[in-house]
Amino acid sequence: MYLKSIELTGFKSFGKKTDIAFASRISSIVGPNGSGKSNVAEAFRFVLGEQSMKSLRSRRGEDLIWGGSPTLPRSNRAGVKVVFDNSTRLLDLDFKEVVVERVVYRDGENEYLLNGTKVRLKDVIRLLAGANIGGSGYQIISQGEADRILNASPRERREMVEDALGLKLYQHKKAESERKLEETAHNIEKTKSLRREIAPHLNFLRSQVQKIEKAREMKEMLAAKLSEYLAREHAWITSEDARLLAQARAEEAELKKLGMLVTEARGKRGGKSNAALQELQKKIVERERKLSDSRRESEKLSRELGRAEAKAEANTVMVEQIVAVPHVRQFAREVSEGISEALRNDDLSSVRVLLLHIRERIHSFVDGLSGAAPDTKEESQQRVETIAGSLGRVQKEETALAQELEALRAKITQVRDAGFAAERDLVELESSVREAQGKLAGVQSARANVATLRQAFEEEVREGIALVGAAIHDWQKAQTEGMSGDDRQAQEKRRREIERLKIKIEESGIGNGDAVVREFNQTKERDEFLGRELGDLERSAASLKDIIIELEKTIDARFTEGLKLINVALHDFFMKLFGGGAAKLEVENPKPHRKRADHELPDDEDSDEEELFDEKEELYAGLSISVHLPRKKVRGLEVLSGGERALTSIALIFSMSQVNPPPFLVLDETDAALDEANSKRYADMIKELGSKSQLIVITHNRATMAAAGELYGVTMGSDGVSQLLSVKLEEAEKVAK
Ligand code: ATP
């Protein structure tokens, strides 16, 4: 006994809260037409999650709510609670008792509760399916629907059978696995397409990153080479600068010294020496004049001495004794020259003048001779001695002057020589100055070159920073010992290598590249993530396929087995009801049909029925029924009478219930069309069935009532509210009328 009770509150004609407790394996609900019996059966359908309003004889949710009467106002909600004994864990919940509840509000809103906790419709359906409750609804046979299984299409019929065999749970699982597989396939395609989308970009980024890495390697190489180059260059510039500075200073000092010497030499050459020369010249002129005077005096004294000596010797004195022979010759030459001149001259007056001049000269000479003769010998002697003494002095003076002149001339030569030497020295010094200036200019030009190199060096450092960043400063740490940089050729080679590297880096066209590397890493991570995701998805798809195959096998095996058992039971029930004949469920040949995935669980209870299902084409083998009535030649369902149809349906429903008994069955006037004999047989079968499933049987039939362990009478008063009361069999018949 699983079904403990059902409680209806505001559901259809049950305007007041009504509780029906089921204490017996077979409970019968009786009552007059329109009292609300079928509403009880529908309450079961409703609470078990029925979504079809038609099956609940309504158009919308609101129709299920007590509509009100003059004495009892309408309700805002209709609620049905069904209580299960779960001590044997019929339902997969860890509770001894499970209350399933459904409420519908006037706005059509539905609520589902499990033990008072709101849940989704899906959860309710899944839970009940696990206990072989719900599904195609074959276990709640509504009034007039007993032969639904006969009217159903082969596919619907098969679904009912599958449902009865408890395959619904597997179908759900399979459908869910298929849905997941589809979703997974979709995700696989999506992931693949994402990877395909990423791939060209990733390849592009990869090639960029390779270039960047190469450029980075080149940059590292450049940094190392630059570091050495700059260290050497700096060492060279520093030492060269110092060397040239010292050289410049030395040249400057040399020039200063030479300048002083030039000034000195210029002083020596001019000025003082000129003055000395002038002074000496002046002295020479003066001394020459004095010497000439002395000579004239000496000549005069000599003549006087001659005359004096001649006088002293009186008459006997020869001209030669009075006048010195040179004077006489001089006199004779002058006279002779005068005569010669006169002889050459044709002009008479001029000759006369010349003759006069000669006569005068002769007179003068003769006068000189006659006047010089001394008076006495002593006097004459004395006079001779005096004149001789004067002549001696004058001659001495003359010698002294001649010597002085000689000395002065030597001095002039000496001063002039000294001037020449100074001039030569100056020329030499000036040449040295020019030479020193040339050297200094050379050094200064070399220093300017070094300064240019220093500028170039600083420019290279700046450029280096732009190219390789802070690593460029490593040159300062580089060992500069032994890097005198004197090997300029090697350094030039290094510089050229660096230039080549720079060009290569520039040609690579890659800048810093950090953003590209970051993007590459992100894209790669994303691609790897997608790759892993794809792997997971493919594994999950494979395992889902396995699950589906397994489920299909299980469903197939159970269906084949179950169908066999149903057919055995059907044969048995059919024989009992018809006293012979045969009925059988047969699997049709598979046909393509638009599959409504009605085994899928709806996600949302508010969804329209249409929206719950999607359609797809598949091969489906439905179930047909072959019926062979005893003593009748005709076969087929179409030829059956109403009663025969009802009996066949009952046989089928009961055989299905036998194979996999549901916890309970609700049969709403399934026996309505049976005659008395068949009603008895029906009652027997009810008893048999009751041993396997709990039964709630709505009936007007006495035999059926008699089979029940407890009876409930439903009545409806003038207020239109259905009421329920427990009745005895004798009362039941009365109540039923
Ligand atoms: P029968 O023996 O003829 O099959 P029944 O006992 O099965 O009759 P039901 O079909 O269960 O009768 O009940 C129908 C009654 O319920 C009708 O009188 C109908 O007016 C009433 N009913 C249905 N829906 C509502 C509602 N929403 N509010 C009030 N009454 C309702």
Side-chain angles (χ1 to χ4, degrees):
M1 288 269 295
Y2 299 112
L3 198 60
K4 287 178 87 173
S5 64
I6 187 165
E7 182 191 286
L8 296 81
T9 312
F11 184 81
K12 288 204 162 185
S13 58
F14 289 86
K16 290 178 186 162
K17 186 170 140 185
T18 308
D19 191 36
I20 312 171
F22 302 105
S24 179
R25 290 203 65 81
I26 304 171
S27 306
S28 185
I29 296 171
V30 301
N33 292 133
S35 60
K37 301 183 296 297
S38 293
N39 290 343
V40 175
E42 272 156 16
F44 276 103
R45 272 193 195 284
F46 172 73
V47 76
L48 299 184
E50 179 62 67
Q51 292 300 302
S52 159
M53 281 294 132
K54 209 171 136 202
S55 300
L56 297 170
R57 291 186 299 164
S58 301
R59 277 176 291 118
R60 55 214 155 118
E62 203 176 0
D63 297 341
L64 302 172
I65 303 169
W66 163 246
S69 71
T71 51
L72 185 68
R74 68 176 200 163
S75 295
N76 288 328
R77 67 195 283 281
V80 178
K81 262 187 211 175
V82 66
V83 182
F84 290 98
D85 178 351
N86 198 37
S87 49
T88 57
R89 294 292 180 269
L90 166 75
L91 300 167
D92 188 18
L93 276 181
D94 204 12
F95 290 99
K96 278 191 170 175
E97 196 174 83
V98 174
V99 181
V100 179
E101 184 178 359
R102 178 177 176 183
V103 179
V104 64
Y105 295 90
R106 287 215 172 263
D107 59 3
E109 184 85 8
N110 278 270
E111 248 176 34
Y112 299 86
L113 299 102
L114 279 177
N115 284 359
T117 304
K118 268 193 196 178
V119 291
R120 297 168 300 175
L121 165 63
K122 202 173 171 178
D123 302 317
V124 176
I125 290 179
R126 194 188 297 262
L127 179 75
L128 296 173
N132 197 20
I133 304 169
S136 62
Y138 85 96
Q139 66 185 119
I140 299 169
I141 308 295
S142 298
Q143 189 178 3
E145 283 209 328
D147 60 352
R148 190 162 71 94
I149 193 158
L150 298 187
N151 296 333
S153 69
R155 184 180 68 82
E156 286 168 340
R157 198 175 294 127
R158 175 166 180 151
E159 277 171 14
M160 284 177 178
V161 170
E162 281 172 350
D163 195 6
L165 289 171
L167 299 179
K168 214 70 191 168
L169 191 67
Y170 298 102
Q171 302 278 25
H172 286 322
K173 282 185 184 164
K174 186 187 158 199
E176 211 165 306
S177 300
E178 280 172 343
R179 188 182 51 75
K180 278 188 193 161
L181 182 62
E182 219 168 275
E183 227 171 67
T184 310
H186 178 67
N187 286 338
I188 286 174
E189 205 28 67
K190 224 163 79 183
T191 312
K192 278 184 180 169
S193 131
L194 279 175
R195 286 191 89 187
R196 272 198 302 276
E197 259 172 50
I198 290 175
H201 189 51
L202 186 64
N203 287 340
F204 169 73
L205 286 173
R206 183 175 287 116
S207 72
Q208 287 298 98
V209 166
Q210 278 164 358
K211 279 187 196 164
I212 288 164
E213 273 164 9
K214 209 171 165 200
R216 280 191 180 164
E217 274 170 27
M218 286 196 285
K219 274 189 184 178
E220 275 167 29
M221 204 191 287
L222 177 67
K225 282 190 186 294
L226 256 180
S227 171
E228 191 194 344
Y229 171 80
L230 290 174
R232 282 182 185 279
E233 196 66 3
H234 187 259
W236 186 81
I237 287 170
T238 310
S239 78
E240 194 64 5
D241 204 22
R243 183 182 70 77
L244 288 171
L245 182 65
Q247 207 173 322
R249 285 199 179 136
E251 293 301 337
E252 278 164 3
E254 177 69 12
L255 259 177
K256 203 173 164 191
K257 197 178 90 191
L258 286 170
M260 273 154 54
L261 288 173
V262 165
T263 313
E264 202 180 310
R266 277 193 185 131
K268 272 186 194 167
R269 185 189 57 169
K272 271 188 347 201
S273 68
N274 283 347
L277 270 176
Q278 275 173 10
E279 188 62 29
L280 285 168
Q281 296 282 13
K282 230 159 96 184
K283 276 185 185 172
I284 286 172
V285 170
E286 193 206 325
R287 297 296 185 275
E288 279 175 341
R289 191 180 47 78
K290 275 186 182 172
L291 183 61
S292 167
D293 286 354
S294 290
R295 277 187 181 145
R296 257 196 315 274
E297 185 69 12
S298 157
E299 268 180 34
K300 196 177 136 200
L301 286 170
S302 291
R303 273 193 313 270
E304 275 179 20
L305 184 61
R307 270 193 306 269
E309 282 172 344
K311 263 184 187 176
E313 284 180 25
N315 292 331
T316 60
V317 174
M318 303 291 288
V319 173
E320 288 89 344
Q321 289 170 312
I322 301 166
V323 181
V325 174
H327 282 284
V328 177
R329 283 183 186 149
Q330 174 73 22
F331 170 72
R333 201 162 44 239
E334 280 177 20
V335 171
S336 171
E337 281 174 5
I339 291 167
S340 299
E341 201 179 343
L343 286 173
R344 280 193 306 270
N345 207 326
D346 293 334
D347 185 8
L348 197 62
S349 58
S350 300
V351 172
R352 194 176 282 146
V353 170
L354 283 168
L355 286 173
L356 285 172
H357 188 69
I358 293 165
R359 194 177 69 185
E360 203 176 318
R361 184 73 182 101
I362 293 165
H363 281 306
S364 153
F365 186 77
V366 171
D367 283 353
L369 290 176
S370 58
D375 293 337
T376 65
K377 210 169 184 178
E378 287 80 18
E379 278 177 353
S380 296
Q381 195 62 39
Q382 208 180 344
R383 189 168 166 80
V384 166
E385 283 171 14
T386 306
I387 290 170
S390 294
L391 184 61
R393 272 197 316 277
V394 170
Q395 279 176 337
K396 254 190 204 166
E397 200 181 282
E398 204 181 307
T399 308
L401 277 169
Q403 281 173 349
E404 200 180 344
L405 258 176
E406 191 67 26
L408 280 170
R409 283 195 183 106
K411 184 75 179 165
I412 277 184
T413 309
Q414 197 189 340
V415 168
R416 274 191 183 139
D417 284 354
F420 288 143
E423 189 69 44
R424 220 172 29 249
D425 285 354
L426 183 61
V427 168
E428 269 173 27
L429 276 171
E430 279 173 347
S431 151
S432 297
V433 165
R434 277 194 298 280
E435 198 182 316
Q437 277 172 337
K439 276 190 192 168
L440 183 59
V443 171
Q444 272 161 352
S445 143
R447 287 197 74 198
N449 279 346
V450 171
T452 310
L453 281 175
R454 191 182 287 280
Q455 272 179 3
F457 168 82
E458 280 160 8
E459 184 54 37
E460 272 163 347
V461 170
R462 271 195 295 278
E463 207 180 298
I465 289 172
L467 272 172
V468 300
I472 192 70
H473 295 300
D474 285 356
W475 71 267
Q476 286 160 322
K477 289 181 230 150
Q479 193 66 37
T480 50
E481 244 176 64
M483 285 194 184
S484 63
D486 45 1
D487 190 352
R488 294 304 284 163
Q489 257 184 340
Q491 185 71 341
E492 181 55 25
K493 209 171 140 197
R494 278 181 209 109
R495 197 186 61 73
R496 279 203 299 273
E497 259 181 58
I498 286 167
E499 285 311 313
R500 275 200 295 277
L501 260 180
K502 278 184 192 169
I503 290 167
K504 272 191 194 168
I505 291 169
E506 216 165 277
E507 276 173 356
S508 75
I510 305 291
N512 172 317
D514 281 355
V516 177
V517 173
R518 220 173 14 254
E519 197 184 343
F520 169 69
N521 286 335
Q522 280 168 357
T523 314
K524 198 172 116 222
E525 269 170 35
R526 172 133 180 78
D527 184 61
E528 283 166 0
F529 168 77
L530 287 172
R532 285 195 297 276
E533 189 111 310
L534 193 61
D536 288 349
L537 285 168
E538 280 167 350
R539 274 190 293 281
S540 133
S543 99
L544 280 168
K545 277 179 194 160
D546 288 348
I547 289 170
I548 290 166
I549 291 168
E550 270 312 302
L551 283 168
E552 278 171 351
K553 275 187 199 161
T554 309
I555 290 167
D556 260 20
R558 292 200 178 198
F559 178 74
T560 313
E561 183 58 28
L563 190 63
K564 221 189 273 170
L565 294 172
I566 288 172
N567 274 331
V568 172
L570 176 61
H571 186 259
D572 196 33
F573 279 122
F574 196 84
M575 291 276 281
K576 268 187 200 157
L577 284 169
F578 288 95
K584 197 180 175 192
L585 284 172
E586 281 164 347
V587 180
E588 290 183 335
N589 288 328
K591 282 183 207 153
H593 98 111
R594 305 286 298 167
K595 175 195 177 191
R596 263 189 11 170
D598 52 357
H599 46 268
E600 281 183 10
L601 298 175
D603 280 326
D604 186 347
E605 60 268 27
D606 296 330
S607 308
D608 271 344
E609 194 183 0
E610 289 305 314
E611 287 171 5
L612 293 175
F613 310 113
D614 55 350
E615 287 195 349
K616 54 177 111 165
E617 187 112 335
E618 65 162 19
L619 276 179
Y620 198 91
L623 278 181
S624 61
I625 306 173
S626 74
V627 180
H628 180 203
L629 294 179
R631 298 170 299 278
K632 288 189 179 171
K633 275 188 182 168
V634 282
R635 293 176 180 223
L637 292 176
E638 304 76 32
V639 297
L640 298 180
S641 74
E644 285 166 346
R645 283 183 77 84
L647 286 171
T648 310
S649 305
I650 289 162
L652 197 51
I653 290 163
F654 283 15
S655 56
M656 278 156 62
S657 302
Q658 280 249 317
V659 173
N660 186 31
F664 66 93
L665 272 170
V666 180
L667 303 169
D668 186 359
E669 297 187 40
T670 316
D671 55 358
L674 305 186
D675 59 20
E676 213 178 322
N678 278 328
S679 292
K680 281 202 176 86
R681 289 192 193 112
Y682 176 79
D684 291 342
M685 279 161 58
I686 287 282
K687 281 184 198 159
E688 198 181 326
L689 208 63
S691 65
K692 291 183 175 158
S693 298
Q694 197 175 342
L695 300 177
I696 291 99
V697 192
I698 297 166
T699 188
H700 287 289
N701 204 315
R702 196 179 188 285
T704 313
M705 288 180 210
E710 61 182 344
L711 288 160
Y712 287 100
V714 180
T715 58
M716 186 181 274
S718 54
D719 55 1
V721 178
S722 296
Q723 280 176 333
L724 192 102
L725 60 155
S726 181
V727 289
K728 298 259 180 309
L729 183 61
E730 308 79 61
E731 297 163 325
E733 270 183 289
K734 265 192 254 157
V735 170
K737 286 167 190 164

